[in-house]
Amino acid sequence: MAAAAVTRDAVWMERHGLCCAGPSAARALALAEELEHLAGVQLAVLSAHAKVRD
């Protein structure tokens, strides 16, 4: 994780979750909220696609 965090502001860790960094706590939190939202969108799309195929 440390190696990935050197070049990225966010890292998803399997079985642990999301770790975000930024120039301030507020920016790191905003990034975490955006990524969580986008993950939810992706999950909804994948779920809808599975229902269409069945």
Side-chain angles (χ1 to χ4, degrees), residues 24-48:
S24 68
R27 291 280 300 269
L29 179 59
L31 177 59
E33 289 175 338
E34 181 178 5
L35 291 173
E36 290 283 349
H37 171 74
L38 292 172
V41 170
Q42 182 179 13
L43 185 59
V45 168
L46 292 173
S47 176

